[in-house]
Amino acid sequence: MKSMSLLDRFKAEAQELQPQLVAWRRDFHAHPELGFAEVRTAGIVADHLRALGLETATGVGKTGVVALVEPDALPATAPTVLVRFDMDALPIQEQNDVAYRSQTPGVMHACGHDGHTAIGMGVAQMLARHRNELTGRVKLVFQPAEEGLGGAHAMIADGALAAPTPQAAFGLHLWSRLPLHQVVVQSGPLMAGADKVDLTVAGVGGHGAMPHETIDAIVVASEIVLAWQTIVSRTVDPTNPAVITVGSFHAGAASNVIAGRADLGCSIRSFDLATRDLLVRRMREVAEGICAAHRATCELTFTAGVLPTINTEAGAGLMRAVATELVGSDQVATMTPMMVGEDMSEFLVRAPGCFVLVGANDPAGPLNSPHHSPTFDFDERMLATGAALLAATAATYLEQT
């Protein structure tokens, strides 16, 4: 097939691009920018895309960049496929002693988005070179603010999926603890939905020596925290993963004063909306019941976060075939879905496709630090693999549609 011959060329060209991919990645790593503040990063990306002769829009979702790769002559009915790359860093002080370490105090690329952005620039370069061999359009989306700030939603609200509208979306996340070049691809859930729940417990404060005249918000909230842990173990189907995490608990100001208020901040994670709704409903019922028993009151607020990252069978099948040709069947794997969240889900729910993991740990070396760690890093040899994988996936999708 033509796409397979293209795949061979993408593989060779990605290897030729490897030194440039590393240089781009290290530059981004040394100059990290937080979500919705990726001004320098977006500027470098946009300049590169325009130099390739691509129609490029900036400021999409505040700091996002969108470019279109298309042949010189193409029917209006030709398909469009979206390939997405995230650009933001994290508020973490880097502890790595490397030449390309972060030059911005308190900000670090601790999740690999610097690598994703470099991969995206390589994908753009290869696809632009072969644009007249494509049988449709490729929409390249460089997204800001993936780390819990809603960058995908902001881009979509700003028209990233319009004119033209993609029929499918594809992407990847490098993974520092998977063996180098291994590709995890599977249909169904890969990552969980992640949402936020806040609870305020209102009691009656007073003197620490006169508890009978108070309603102790700390005691009530503590009971709620413990009782919530039974929701997953006793309400949710045990074959259906779910997580309730109380990440913050704020109450009181002095050791001899009984607190009249307690504030809890929580995250909940699940793989389907029915389970999410069940968690929220039971959290509210349990909190209100415990408060009633103690003569306190409470207010629970739910804030939707990211949807579960769900791959279609067709999308996963396509990426599995491309990955097999690229790295060999022994390097293509599946895994137990993870409870981490990823807002690529916002694109997949509107343009069903596939999101994969690409291994970035040297099997002969020590185990890399986990994502979101101040010592996070990855084996840069995966960059060429990622670029070839996404370029070939886009070309193959267009050919088969």
Side-chain angles (χ1 to χ4, degrees):
M1 292 188 298
K2 180 171 64 177
S3 61
M4 288 305 174
S5 64
L6 260 182
L7 187 151
D8 292 336
R9 279 180 280 170
F10 287 144
K11 184 176 181 179
E13 290 172 14
Q15 287 300 326
E16 293 173 3
L17 271 175
Q18 175 67 8
Q20 180 63 72
L21 295 173
V22 170
W24 283 329
R25 181 261 165 160
R26 293 188 177 188
D27 178 65
F28 293 137
H29 191 91
H31 302 92
E33 296 171 301
L34 296 174
F36 292 128
E38 307 93 338
V39 176
R40 179 184 184 275
T41 304
I44 292 171
V45 169
D47 287 346
H48 176 68
L49 298 175
R50 290 181 177 128
L52 295 172
L54 303 182
E55 177 187 332
T56 302
T58 58
V60 183
K62 191 170 183 180
T63 47
V65 181
V66 178
L68 200 61
V69 185
E70 57 184 341
D72 294 333
L74 194 67
T77 56
T80 299
V81 61
L82 181 149
V83 188
R84 173 269 204 172
F85 317 93
D86 43 12
M87 303 186 293
D88 56 321
L90 285 156
I92 295 174
Q93 179 64 46
E94 182 162 14
Q95 295 178 10
N96 290 315
D97 185 15
V98 292
Y100 51 90
R101 69 179 296 166
S102 171
Q103 297 178 21
T104 305
V107 183
M108 175 193 176
H109 271 293
C111 201
H113 298 185
D114 50 345
H116 301 165
T117 306
I119 286 170
M121 292 171 69
V123 169
Q125 188 160 322
M126 290 188 290
L127 289 175
R129 180 180 300 166
H130 297 284
R131 73 180 78 196
N132 286 319
E133 298 174 67
L134 301 176
T135 56
R137 304 172 183 86
V138 181
K139 180 170 280 193
L140 303 172
V141 172
F142 290 81
Q143 180 202 312
E146 186 279 329
E147 295 288 357
L149 297 176
H153 188 269
M155 291 197 78
I156 292 167
D158 215 3
L161 296 181
T165 299
Q167 286 73 56
F170 296 93
L172 63 77
H173 204 302
L174 65 86
W175 210 251
S176 69
R177 293 195 153 193
L178 287 174
L180 183 64
H181 306 312
Q182 184 178 89
V183 180
V184 172
V185 52
Q186 61 202 45
S187 60
L190 177 68
M191 297 180 178
D195 306 284
K196 189 169 184 285
V197 172
D198 293 300
L199 182 76
T200 297
V201 174
V204 177
H207 200 292
M210 303 173 184
H212 60 292
E213 295 181 355
T214 72
I215 299 174
D216 192 333
I218 291 179
V219 170
V220 177
S222 297
E223 255 188 61
I224 292 170
V225 171
L226 293 176
W228 275 351
Q229 304 313 304
T230 66
I231 294 173
V232 172
S233 65
R234 289 296 177 268
T235 301
V236 178
D237 184 329
T239 64
N240 188 7
V243 173
I244 296 175
T245 296
V246 179
S248 67
F249 189 135
H250 299 285
S255 61
N256 63 344
V257 177
I258 291 175
R261 172 176 171 147
D263 296 292
L264 308 182
C266 321
S267 68
I268 60 173
R269 297 170 187 267
S270 58
F271 289 114
D272 61 81
L273 299 185
T275 301
R276 180 192 75 178
D277 294 343
L278 173 62
L279 293 177
V280 176
R281 176 172 60 83
R282 287 296 295 140
M283 289 175 76
R284 179 176 281 110
E285 290 171 349
V286 168
E288 289 177 348
I290 290 173
C291 282
H294 290 279
R295 297 171 293 122
T297 59
C298 65
E299 181 178 354
L300 185 145
T301 303
F302 168 77
T303 304
V306 299
L307 298 168
T309 302
I310 309 292
N311 296 327
T312 65
E313 182 59 51
L318 188 153
M319 289 204 81
R320 187 179 300 112
V322 172
T324 299
E325 289 287 330
L326 184 65
V327 298
S329 59
D330 60 326
Q331 284 278 61
V332 180
T334 60
M335 69 185 299
T336 301
M338 298 185 294
M339 300 308 291
V340 299
E342 162 62 67
D343 73 357
M344 174 68 181
S345 56
E346 296 289 344
F347 294 108
L348 289 174
V349 77
R350 296 165 173 84
C354 188
F355 190 68
V356 303
L357 304 179
V358 179
N361 189 90
D362 181 358
L367 188 63
N368 283 327
S369 295
H371 291 250
H372 293 211
S373 160
T375 54
F376 173 85
D377 208 346
F378 64 91
D379 192 316
E380 294 169 321
R381 288 177 290 177
M382 67 75 52
L383 295 171
T385 299
L389 175 63
L390 289 181
T393 294
T396 304
Y397 173 83
L398 294 174
E399 182 184 287
Q400 296 181 356
T401 299

